[in-house]
Amino acid sequence: MSQYPNYSACTSILIGKNASIDGSTIIGRNEDCKATWPKHFVVHQHTEFHKYQQFKSNDNKFQIKLPKIQYKYTATPEWTDKYGKFEEDGINEYGVSMSATESAYANNHVLGYDPLVKNGIGEEAMVTVVLPYIKSARQGVKRLGNIISKYGTCESNGILFSDNEEVWYLETGSGHHWVAMKIPNDCYAVVSNQISIRQINFNDKDNFMWSNGIQDFVKKNHLNPDINGEFNFRHIFGTHNLTDVYYNNPRVWYGQKMFNPELKQHPESHDLPFIRKASKLLSIDDAKSFLSSHYQGTPYDPIGNGSKEDKTKYRPVSLAKTQESHVLQIRPKMPPEVAGIHWLSMGVAAQSVFVPFFAGINDTLSEYKKGKLEYNPKSAYWIFKLVGVLVDPHYLQLNDLLKNTQEKLNINMRQFILKIDSEYNDQEDLSKYLTKMCNSNARNVLKEYQKLAYQLISMSTDFSKLNYKQDLNL
């Protein structure tokens, strides 16, 4: 198993092109691990090697031979590669996006027949060995699925893929077996650390993929608990325990509450569906709002007005252990350089802001490539993280100032996207133009957050426990 300091415990969202307000495909995820574990943001260039490259994991020594051509792609690696790369999310030059992984848990019964493979592929390697070598989301599912079948996997995970036409979700259920489902174009899904795919239609190869022999494996070992004989991947491979009740199910409930407020469901229910049609068309802002959510408007909000028991009952979507959040948007009828937008929020999404980077950029700001465990005022991760640290002790007093800054920046970034859309056709060197514009916008955002931090420090000076209110008549 992984030597990683803490397993990721993320939350994901997937939105089909006809379910979005502008025809975009959207996938997004919070990468959650530790309250302090910096991330970087980089661009890997298109590279053609003379011979095949060999990948070897620093985490569990998983090895694989890689193709000679590596496509350009964005990624968010760890601050250290001691435990592996963990590149997590990105968009490549062909307009394919990938996010890996949504940690899940297979049941012990299934693992008894097909155990996890100690040196099989894991989260830390997936983006690195898949995203630079695919030209569509469907190809991504096939490449990763073939690797899992051949080499095995050391973890149970969910992996997100998209291009301008399709959105796919792949889940691993044991050492070598997996399934994948195309999210219907007019639907969305929210996922939270549990095996989530339900019925598999083995007669529909356009919308489902699976590991070779999975049906025989389940039948031979008598793994299907359903009386009706349906092949429900969640029922066969997944869990139904108290972790799901308090840790996983409520996050799915809240996401569906946001996008289908007309539905009456219980936050602890094991029967929340994987796929939903929203009651409205969903925007990029809806995806970002979900990833920034913490049960607002319910008694379960940790910073709300509920009872102490309610406020600590369920694990929220956005929490202090988030390293980064991303929303990967692929827009329709545009060149891949501008169709793809890598929205990136460093630190806790509820206290940070999603900054847009177009897929066509060839470099990122130096601040996005810095940051270790110790605070660094020139690191993008730490600039955003500092604001959260300052707000946390006095949320009620300081939250309005944070929200005002977030609203201002979100408006500015919408204007920024419109400017790029109106100018990109006139550029001789599109990559150079996008790099300059995106980094300039990101630099302005960092300056605003640094300014916000200074204001928060000044305001916090009066909150000392050593304060004493003197009677003016004395």
Side-chain angles (χ1 to χ4, degrees), residues 1-3 55-63 83-84 117-122 124-125 153-155:
M1 297 298 289
S2 173
Q3 301 172 26
F55 174 88
K56 184 175 182 179
S57 168
N58 286 344
D59 179 32
N60 67 346
K61 310 310 176 186
F62 163 74
Q63 295 186 62
Y83 306 102
V117 180
K118 184 177 181 180
N119 62 344
I121 188 170
E124 72 90 10
T153 180
C154 61
E155 305 158 344

Side-chain angles (χ1 to χ4, degrees), residues 138 142 166 168 180 182 201-210 212 215:
R138 191 177 290 261
K142 291 179 179 178
E166 298 183 338
W168 282 85
K182 177 181 175 292
N201 185 348
F202 291 100
N203 296 316
D204 185 0
K205 294 185 178 180
D206 288 335
N207 295 297
F208 295 91
M209 286 187 263
W210 53 88
N212 290 334
Q215 290 172 279

Side-chain angles (χ1 to χ4, degrees), residues 374-425:
E374 299 78 20
Y375 170 74
N376 180 351
K378 295 184 179 180
S379 159
Y381 170 88
W382 278 112
I383 289 170
F384 289 109
K385 191 70 175 177
L386 175 60
V387 165
V389 170
L390 292 170
V391 169
D392 274 338
H394 311 289
Y395 220 99
L396 294 179
Q397 296 94 333
L398 301 179
N399 191 45
D400 284 346
L401 187 59
L402 169 62
K403 292 301 181 186
N404 290 340
T405 299
Q406 289 174 320
E407 289 175 6
K408 172 187 172 182
L409 290 174
N410 284 331
I411 292 171
N412 290 349
M413 285 184 280
R414 177 54 56 194
Q415 294 296 307
F416 168 71
I417 299 294
L418 292 174
K419 180 176 177 61
I420 297 293
D421 287 349
S422 68
E423 294 181 353
Y424 77 84
N425 271 325

